[in-house]
Amino acid sequence: MLKEETVRELEQAARKLRVEILKMLNTASSGHTGGSLSAIDAMTALYFHKMRHDPSNPSWEDRDRFVLSKGHAAPALYACLAEAGYFPRDDLKTLRRLGSHLQGHPDMNKTPGVEVCTGSLGQGLSQAVGIAMASRLAGRSSRVYSLLGDGEVQEGQIWEAAMAAAHYGLSNLCVILDHNGLQIDGKVEEVMNVGPLGPKFLAFNWHVVEVDGHDMQAICKAYDHAEEVTDQPTLIIARTVKGKGVPFFEHKANYHGTPPSDDELNRALEHLGHA
Amino acid sequence: MSEMIATRDSYGKTLAELGKENDKIVVLDADLSGSTKTALFGKEFPERFFNAGIAECNMVSMAAGLAAGGMIPFASTFAVFAAGRAFEQIRQSLAYPKMNVKVVATHGGITVGEDGGSHQSVEDLAIMRSLPNMTVLCPADGPETAAAIRAVAAFDGPVYVRLGRGKVPVVFDNGCDFVIGRGATLRGGSDMTFITTGLMTAQALEAAAILEAEDISARVIHLGSIKPLDVDLVLQAARETGAIVTAEEHSVIGGLGGAVCEVLSEGFPVPVERVGLRDVFGQSGKADELLAHYGLTPAHLVEAAERVLKRK
């Protein structure tokens, strides 16, 4: 159990990161709002509680690694990396601009702290599997975390990677599925029903847990629990709300790839107590 | 008659040697390790060999992850599945991030034979060559394959190597000092130049000998490195011999012929004849029957040389 104070600190951090996400998307006038807001709590818990990493030494060999397989949630990743100190927070204003190190989708060669290039859905998980294999070969105790979208798991490659992670018994791999139920064209279950997700991953021989993806205590408990699993990768199905934290964005598929307007930003910041 | 060695055999052997020398080398395959010859490595270093099963897309992206984790991965399957099925994984997970992964594709071209057109890649060089950051190699024989594999293991970045199925004559019988981006002049000549890659280089050497009997002096340049291309060597041949015949076990579109024409049209335009698959897929048959059927024999190269000389 986390101390109440730690939970409050993480919640406060996530609120601040939501503000950064909304501001950078508004400044960029382009980018993915809904899925960044649904994923940020799980990512906050990783970057500011769970993961061993050193922003002053991004290539530290024994660091835990995070792979954002749903690369379009890049604003959430950039907010975490800036807050952790990988690069100045001011850089967030350059998101998606010509010459910026903050590309529309994560680029390992441009942004300090980004582990691999993602954005084409399904490939991040396979890369996370490869990193976990390499860590094990090299005898590193570091863990690999990867965050997937629930639309993303429609990609066949996800199931190829799921098969391989279980086959090789990668217990150093912990995957979070940001289960917000929406994708660009609508509800995941209506566009292409890929559920039931838990039973599917169980059948692929994964260890599966399900949590409220906006409950810091539950998220952190799931990360701790995953460390105790042997011989199996762990999937944490995080039940989330697309657009979480901004009431007029919540549960809306049309805010998948739409940034907040000036007016929406002001109202959102007011709601988040940052006006 | 020169010694016959399959480039894939040379690959498997070299890979197993490299495994002893460098414990960062890891190998992935997609259920074809007996055919691609990576099984030799797998047998000696089981802890560094990962069979991905019949899942080429995941194999390529996993290889990217292994490279991100500090390893030097070689990933193998047939050319048609590597460059075709896993194209987007090669693009996004390897080429775009300049990941240090070597895709070594065997069974390139029509000499795959009896398996037929579904398994004969005639487009892989064109596809791979169009990707920024990619290095594309197509060795001529066993010794050059061994040298090329050693060169790519030492090179930091994504590489596509195309190898064949069948045994091919040894061209580099005095050893091969392979340098990425450098071609090799295997025979001097002044009337025209064959610029060839893969198994067509041995065919061109035969064609040059036939032409000599007709008092035609044919130069033979082998380009084992399709990208980067040895631009200076190609331009020099155009300036000095004034006519070029390219030959490849691949479509005439976008591969070696395309690359050479790009260089010549901008640098020193001379008549060119391209020998290769004329925008068609292959079919079942024996390798030598297919080479004859699709016009990839020394006799066809002689005819192409005669055609290009008339245009000089």
Side-chain angles (χ1 to χ4, degrees):
Chain A
M1 282 289 275
L2 295 184
K3 286 183 193 151
E4 264 314 302
E5 191 190 338
T6 309
V7 172
R8 270 199 307 280
E9 280 168 11
L10 286 172
E11 286 170 351
Q12 182 58 33
R15 198 171 306 128
K16 192 176 168 194
L17 294 171
R18 283 192 162 84
V19 169
E20 295 293 349
I21 290 167
L22 292 162
K23 280 184 177 170
M24 80 174 98
L25 283 162
N26 171 261
T27 305
S29 305
S30 146
H32 298 81
T33 306
S36 294
L37 294 173
S38 63
I40 193 63
D41 292 316
M43 290 170 64
T44 302
L46 283 177
Y47 274 95
F48 303 98
H49 176 70
K50 191 70 212 171
M51 287 202 306
R52 292 173 303 169
H53 62 121
D54 179 1
S56 68
N57 183 14
S59 53
W60 174 40
E61 206 172 312
D62 290 325
R63 71 193 182 278
D64 291 336
R65 270 91 166 161
F66 176 73
V67 174
L68 182 64
S69 197
K70 51 171 277 188
H72 54 277
L77 179 59
Y78 299 156
C80 289
L81 293 173
E83 182 66 22
Y86 283 90
F87 52 82
R89 192 172 301 139
D90 249 15
D91 292 2
L92 297 175
K93 293 175 184 156
T94 68
L95 173 70
R96 290 178 169 245
R97 293 278 156 84
L98 181 65
S100 172
H101 74 83
L102 300 176
Q103 295 290 294
H105 293 82
D107 187 333
M108 63 185 287
N109 293 313
K110 291 198 160 77
T111 312
V114 170
E115 298 288 351
V116 291
C117 293
T118 53
S120 176
L121 296 175
Q123 298 192 27
L125 180 58
S126 296
Q127 296 190 74
V129 169
I131 295 172
M133 288 168 161
S135 290
R136 194 163 68 178
L137 268 181
R140 293 189 290 258
S141 62
S142 59
R143 293 181 62 74
V144 182
Y145 295 91
S146 184
L147 190 130
L148 311 181
D150 53 1
E152 181 180 14
V153 297
Q154 291 162 348
E155 287 282 5
Q157 190 176 350
I158 289 292
W159 302 98
E160 293 185 2
M163 188 165 58
H167 178 81
Y168 287 104
L170 298 175
S171 54
N172 56 347
L173 176 68
C174 177
V175 172
I176 305 102
L177 201 159
D178 179 15
H179 194 9
N180 62 35
L182 294 171
Q183 59 189 116
I184 300 179
D185 274 356
K187 290 182 179 170
V188 173
E189 61 188 27
E190 287 172 8
V191 174
M192 177 49 68
N193 188 7
V194 66
L197 289 167
K200 282 199 169 107
F201 274 89
L202 277 172
F204 273 69
N205 204 20
W206 282 55
H207 183 77
V208 179
V209 290
E210 193 161 342
V211 299
D212 175 345
H214 302 302
D215 177 341
M216 283 298 176
Q217 188 72 261
I219 294 166
C220 291
K221 193 176 153 195
Y223 290 150
D224 289 344
H225 172 70
E227 282 181 320
E228 287 156 23
V229 177
T230 51
D231 304 328
Q232 275 183 310
T234 294
L235 176 75
I236 299 172
I237 298 178
R239 289 186 309 272
T240 57
V241 172
K242 198 150 189 164
K244 176 71 179 179
V246 181
F248 47 92
F249 286 164
E250 290 182 0
H251 301 291
K252 295 210 171 75
N254 54 337
Y255 278 101
H256 173 92
T258 312
S261 66
D262 291 349
D263 175 55
E264 286 166 339
L265 176 68
N266 289 335
R267 285 160 57 209
L269 294 191
E270 203 169 317
H271 182 81
L272 290 162
H274 276 260
Chain B
M1 184 76 183
S2 27
E3 192 190 351
M4 303 285 283
I5 302 173
T7 51
R8 59 180 169 139
D9 280 322
S10 183
Y11 166 54
K13 218 174 116 201
T14 308
L15 203 51
E17 288 165 13
L18 284 167
K20 285 192 194 80
E21 297 163 23
N22 188 342
D23 64 6
K24 298 274 186 229
I25 290 182
V26 298
V27 176
L28 300 94
D29 206 297
D31 195 40
L32 290 170
S33 64
S35 299
T36 64
K37 304 300 175 186
T38 61
L40 287 174
F41 181 99
K43 203 175 160 194
E44 289 203 41
F45 309 101
E47 74 288 353
R48 284 190 271 146
F49 178 77
F50 300 100
N51 205 322
I54 309 168
E56 296 80 7
C57 300
N58 183 51
M59 173 178 75
V60 169
S61 299
M62 280 198 307
L66 279 154
M71 302 296 159
I72 304 170
F74 280 72
S76 284
T77 180
F78 290 179
V80 74
F81 307 128
R85 191 182 199 103
F87 166 74
E88 211 235 354
Q89 283 70 22
I90 292 179
R91 182 194 190 277
Q92 309 282 8
S93 301
L94 307 188
Y96 181 62
K98 297 185 202 159
M99 209 62 100
N100 191 24
V101 172
K102 324 303 172 185
V103 177
V104 182
T106 65
H107 296 64
I110 54 173
T111 51
V112 166
E114 293 83 346
D115 277 352
S118 61
H119 283 54
Q120 298 165 353
S121 178
V122 296
E123 68 284 356
D124 54 320
L125 296 176
I127 295 170
M128 289 295 114
R129 196 171 74 80
S130 68
L131 284 174
N133 298 335
M134 278 304 279
T135 291
V136 182
L137 309 181
C138 185
D141 67 359
E144 192 189 21
T145 299
I149 293 302
R150 286 189 168 274
V152 304
F155 173 82
D156 187 12
V159 181
Y160 178 82
V161 185
R162 183 208 227 207
L163 303 176
R165 174 183 177 224
K167 290 186 174 176
V168 292
V170 169
V171 171
F172 289 92
D173 44 11
N174 288 320
C176 175
D177 177 22
F178 190 89
V179 178
I180 291 170
R182 195 188 293 168
T185 304
L186 297 180
R187 184 185 172 114
S190 53
D191 294 329
M192 57 79 60
T193 305
F194 287 113
I195 299 180
T196 57
T197 194
L199 59 74
M200 290 310 291
T201 296
Q203 312 275 57
L205 287 167
E206 277 191 50
I210 297 168
L211 287 166
E212 190 179 24
E214 299 174 17
D215 277 340
I216 295 168
S217 166
R219 183 178 299 186
V220 178
I221 291 176
H222 167 67
L223 297 182
S225 180
I226 303 289
K227 185 186 176 186
L229 198 79
D230 194 336
V231 172
D232 292 343
L233 196 63
V234 169
L235 289 176
Q236 188 191 0
R239 276 194 298 267
E240 292 177 1
T241 69
I244 306 281
V245 171
T246 64
E248 62 205 299
E249 190 197 358
H250 183 273
S251 172
V252 291
I253 298 172
L256 174 76
V260 167
C261 287
E262 287 162 19
V263 168
L264 294 178
S265 60
E266 286 184 353
F268 196 87
V270 296
V272 177
E273 292 283 326
R274 291 169 301 150
V275 173
L277 278 284
R278 309 297 306 181
D279 199 17
V280 291
F281 289 112
Q283 60 179 306
S284 289
K286 291 192 191 312
D288 53 355
E289 292 171 348
L290 289 164
L291 288 172
H293 181 81
Y294 290 103
L296 302 180
T297 66
H300 291 100
L301 287 174
V302 167
E303 286 168 21
E306 288 164 352
R307 280 200 306 276
V308 84
L309 284 168
K310 282 188 194 137
R311 293 170 53 206
K312 202 169 157 183

